Amino acid sequence: MWYPPKVTTPPTEPVSVAEAKRQCNVLHDDDDALFAALISAARDHVERYCGTPLAQQTVEVKCDSFCDMARLPIAPVSDVDIEYVATDGTEQTVPDAAYELRADGLDASVVPAYGQNWPATRPRSRIVVTAIVGYETLPASIRHAMLLWIAEAYLNRENAETPEWTAFDALLTNYRR
């Protein structure tokens, strides 16, 4: 069983204020703080909509056993470090050569390397996976969807009815996890 991830190194925003202003055709600096807030809100919305982190960040996530590694709860993943409590009660780190990260887009898993086995853990202890997650380079369709969301939020600051299916949905549909 996986437990909720904890962000240990927060992401930098994948869209700049200058890009957001350009999308909205804004030439003044009066709303820069608003744009920064909208960028953060857009990233949060897209991350929750897609169920995946956008910008690279470091997270710590815990699980109950090594069999949980067959499917990581968060992706895309570019690197992992694994710590556990050995049967004698000492904290140990699994050597990098003992496992293989299989980061296949939105599906990620960690498996023992050829000829290796997972170590024995202390009963009822948790395994801690520290992972670098998110896109190194944000896909163009996600960036564009964020810019559409920001422009819509900037231009229509009150609640308004939206159509059931939008360009925002269409751009992000392939990135949902």
Side-chain angles (χ1 to χ4, degrees):
M1 175 175 151
W2 287 102
Y3 297 89
K6 179 177 103 178
V7 176
T8 57
T9 304
T12 56
E13 295 300 348
V15 173
S16 69
V17 170
E19 288 174 298
K21 287 169 60 174
R22 192 168 35 255
Q23 176 73 21
C24 296
N25 230 1
V26 173
L27 302 174
H28 57 81
D29 297 334
D30 297 346
D31 291 337
D32 283 5
L34 174 60
F35 276 110
L38 290 175
I39 291 166
S40 180
R43 180 185 46 79
D44 182 62
H45 181 75
V46 173
E47 285 178 342
R48 291 173 191 275
Y49 181 88
C50 293
T52 183
L54 297 183
Q56 279 200 326
Q57 55 195 282
T58 304
V59 298
E60 182 181 277
V61 62
K62 297 177 181 180
C63 65
D64 292 325
S65 74
F66 281 108
C67 66
D68 293 331
M69 302 284 182
R71 185 164 197 271
L72 297 179
I74 193 165
V77 179
S78 58
D79 188 36
V80 295
D81 290 315
I82 304 168
E83 297 175 346
Y84 66 100
V85 178
T87 55
D88 64 1
T90 60
E91 291 187 15
Q92 301 288 323
T93 299
V94 178
D96 291 345
Y99 62 86
E100 176 186 332
L101 171 63
R102 294 184 178 171
D104 301 320
L106 295 178
D107 286 322
S109 62
V110 179
V111 297
Y114 181 76
Q116 300 287 318
N117 292 312
W118 291 121
T121 61
R122 183 178 209 148
R124 289 182 282 223
S125 66
R126 292 196 178 147
I127 298 162
V128 178
V129 177
T130 303
I132 297 174
V133 299
Y135 294 99
E136 188 174 336
T137 302
L138 197 63
S141 55
I142 294 178
R143 178 179 299 284
H144 188 66
M146 284 184 65
L147 290 169
L148 287 175
W149 192 95
I150 292 164
E152 178 67 26
Y154 181 74
L155 297 173
N156 300 308
R157 298 182 198 180
E158 280 83 39
N159 289 336
E161 287 190 35
T162 58
E164 287 186 30
W165 186 256
T166 64
F168 176 84
D169 297 307
L171 287 165
L172 295 176
T173 193
N174 291 329
Y175 296 95
R176 293 189 80 173
R177 185 163 195 259

